[in-house]
Amino acid sequence: MQAKAIWYDESGQGRNLYARFRLTLDLKSKPENAILHLFADTTYQLYINGKYVRLGSLRFDPQHPVYDSHDLSSLLHEGRNVIAVQVNYVGHKTFITMLSQAGLTAWGEVTLAGGERIDLATGGAAWKASSAPAYRYAAKSSLFLKAGDLYDQRLEEAGDWSGNEFDDSSWLSAVELANQQAWGEPEARGIPYMSGEPVPVERVLHLMPLEPQELLCSFSVPMPHVNEIHEPELTSRFMAVRTWIYSPEDVFITMGLFYQNSWINGEPIAKGLYADDKSMRLNHRVSLHKGWNAYFAKCDSLQDMYHHYLALPEGFGLVVSADRDPEGTVQFHRTPVVSHELYASVLSGRELPFAVDDELADLGGWIEVTVHEHGESPTMSTGWDTYGNSFESIEVDQLTDRVFSLADYPNGFSLLLDLGLTRLVLPRVVLEGAGGATIDLTYGEHLNADGKHLRHYHWYGLGDRAYGDKRCEQLDWRLTQPRGFRYVQLTVRSPKQDVLLRGLELASASYPVETKGTFRCSDPLLEQIWEMGVRTEAVNMEDAYTDCVTRERGQYIRDTIIQYHNNLAVFGDHALMRRSLQLMGQSPDATGKFRAVYPNTGDYTISDFALNALEGFWAYYEQTGDGELVETYWDAIQHNLAWFHELADEREDLLLDAEWDVKRGINAHYGGFHGDLAIVKGYMDITGIHCVFSCTYLIALRAAAKLAGAIGRQEEVGELERRIAVVERAIHDTFWDEERGCYSDNEQKLSHSAHASLFAARAGVLTAEQLEPVRAHVRRDLKSLFVNGYGPEDGVYVSPSFSFYIFEGLYLIGLTDTAERMMRQGWGWFLQKGLKQTPEYYDLGQSLCHAWSACPTYFMSTHVLGVHLPTIEKPDEVVIHVQTAEVTAAEGAVPHALGLIEVKWHTDEQGARVFDYVRVPEGLRATIVE
């Protein structure tokens, strides 16, 4: 590949950069063939002759970039053609991307009927480049996601920059980047493109007129250094704000503020209450005296932008002026963004609030904020909006070509839509008459109590903004990134004329899978739970298995393994797991351990997750026999395991200490050992030499030994088997509590969770003699998933995610009744709460579509239906082994590469199980195990 990486300058460095590229082709005829290969850091949008083609590419490690290939044969024609690409380099910390360098590399060729070939390679072909100033600085949506889209059409070039009639004579030739070694050798994409299918809106929840009922004063200040681990902590996130509030009389008012410390006339404002209906807002009761009142606030930036929002009630004649001038234009004074050193030497010892006459001469003075500045947080702005009475309804089929007249909506309008399910989509909004207006798209899974406002959080608020240009008849706003949500709110504020919603497109950005598996049984509740898992899993498959499509979209090790099993029951796809394992294998940190979430920078290893990775590699190999992948990442697998060997070697019995990080004085970002985090405190002690941690190590050792044997590394099998024998015996001797008839959680036997005994079963430690007392202990311990017996209010014994391991253990020891009771109780509670997808936790306060909680789908297909897929050891055999306590009939299908495996069974009057049919594809045979 001779192509060069290009940009609009030679450095390609910066935060959230946007660049545009054009290649003009004058073709003598329609091409016979035209292939374009693209690699962009970080994402791109491809257009041909002004027509949008696709969003790319995959998340990647810069040392292992991935390129896309596009067949342009049907898109190019005789005459003038333009290939146009917009690239967004993220350039800041996320849980999806890594820092490297902005750049576009393209290659390929167009072949004409006469045999003429036209080279498309960057660095050779006449590509032109330009920055895209219409994309302005925007805050990150959360710690985990990239900056939002802040598109200012007023800064856009005239005309369609991607079209073949656009005049690009002012554009310069693309610049070859000075550093051409920022990335490793690119690899071809190994998974399909995301679906792109239209995502329907289920219903319109409301159409409301904006009706300002408060004096809202706001501004935003970029703080790009905040939460950036890669950047030295040289800059403070401190910000102080002052102004004066004039009141004609002595009054008590309710003031709306963001999270901050505030003072009026030198006295602290009392702690406020969360607003019932408005997100990221506290309401404070404040006393103002007649005349000018000194206002002071101190806050730290939460993400990489500081937002100051102040709301005062109308009708009191209040005026906000930093200069105590009712006609003045300066609304606030704020401190400059300063270094930590300057903060420590000048500001940290200063008494708060600052004196009224303190002009901050040692900092260069206060910075003026004028009345023309406004806060640029779409989520805060829409979260604080007030509405008039709704006076018209609108149906889904009336959204296109809908006119919102200025007479009806003089201040703008809010349109709240419900998809019915949480989905991952790429939005596009086309508006006419939006010139001079501000347009916000905000997203969420939760509504506030009034049903009109989305619930946003200070640490996570999905929102994008566009400013319409008065010179343009139409705003065609296509987002540069997918968004995960159930609810989307379109807010158009301060329109200057009638606004026409020409179109709202929501294109699926999820992995394109077909639901092949089916499940029906005699218990309608279990059927609903199975379907709930399918709906959850389908949207959490992207260019990797992701934890949730809303606030993070990160590929976590444990989530990935759980999701792969769900996928086996429903979709039968292996390509996405292969891609996810590639990223996993590329992820080791400086210690050699696999990072818990990747691509990512920083210390994000979780000890038990790193061990779980071995189970993931084995589960994939067991289904596919893909030894090439195991060979490729065997060294990484060994280095990951070597860290745990070193920890184990601190003791002769090779057991692991759950507090290794504390005892070594290491501040691991996610802690040393997680276990089951979301359970009632004290149920499973996670201190000291630990049973579940050691069992997880043993399971990883067994997986490693099988993988080593599979790829012919017999010399390594012996050492692994030696460790297996030592750890197996040590777990049995150290944690078994003969008196209680179960395994304890740690060496001190401080607790005896069901987890310990079930992990001993999973690890192959549980003996035949121990089986019955363990069954009795676990059945008694998990007689209710909920501590109080009826709901999660007082805590749970097993979290939704960790249930994957608990279910596996329960079926191993034959406690099918306990497993099914847990499903009915826990996931039945989700359904009772009206959920259609599985949430992250039982508190329902965070993600409501978290695939690590969808595991009952896999277990029902595997154990209730009874289909155990062929494995590499027995590639031709489908084992039908039904394990159920109360289900009396089941039917369904599980996908396989050769076709569907179909089973139907029922229980006759004598209680015997009768198989109505067992159908397997040609080339497979079925074995029924009773």
Side-chain angles (χ1 to χ4, degrees), residues 574-596:
H574 298 291
L576 188 60
M577 185 60 171
R578 191 179 205 278
R579 176 60 189 153
S580 294
L581 290 173
Q582 286 178 326
L583 291 169
M584 210 176 292
Q586 296 162 8
S587 74
D589 65 6
T591 70
K593 296 195 300 299
F594 292 137
R595 286 184 174 92

Side-chain angles (χ1 to χ4, degrees), residues 8 33 44 164 284 373 379 494 542 618 630 658 757 766 791:
Y8 55 72
N33 295 293
Y44 70 83
N164 54 8
H284 304 259
E373 298 182 49
T379 50
S494 304
E542 196 182 337
W618 174 251
V630 179
S757 294
L766 192 68

Side-chain angles (χ1 to χ4, degrees), residues 709-750:
I711 61 174
R713 302 295 182 102
Q714 294 303 322
E715 70 283 2
E716 297 172 38
V717 173
E719 170 59 15
L720 290 166
E721 289 182 342
R722 180 193 72 81
R723 288 181 174 272
I724 289 170
V726 173
V727 177
E728 183 176 353
R729 171 53 55 188
I731 291 171
H732 175 278
D733 293 346
T734 304
F735 302 113
W736 175 251
D737 190 322
E738 185 68 33
E739 182 179 348
R740 289 177 175 262
C742 64
Y743 280 82
S744 58
D745 287 307
N746 52 19
E747 192 174 25
Q748 291 75 30
K749 296 181 170 55
L750 298 177

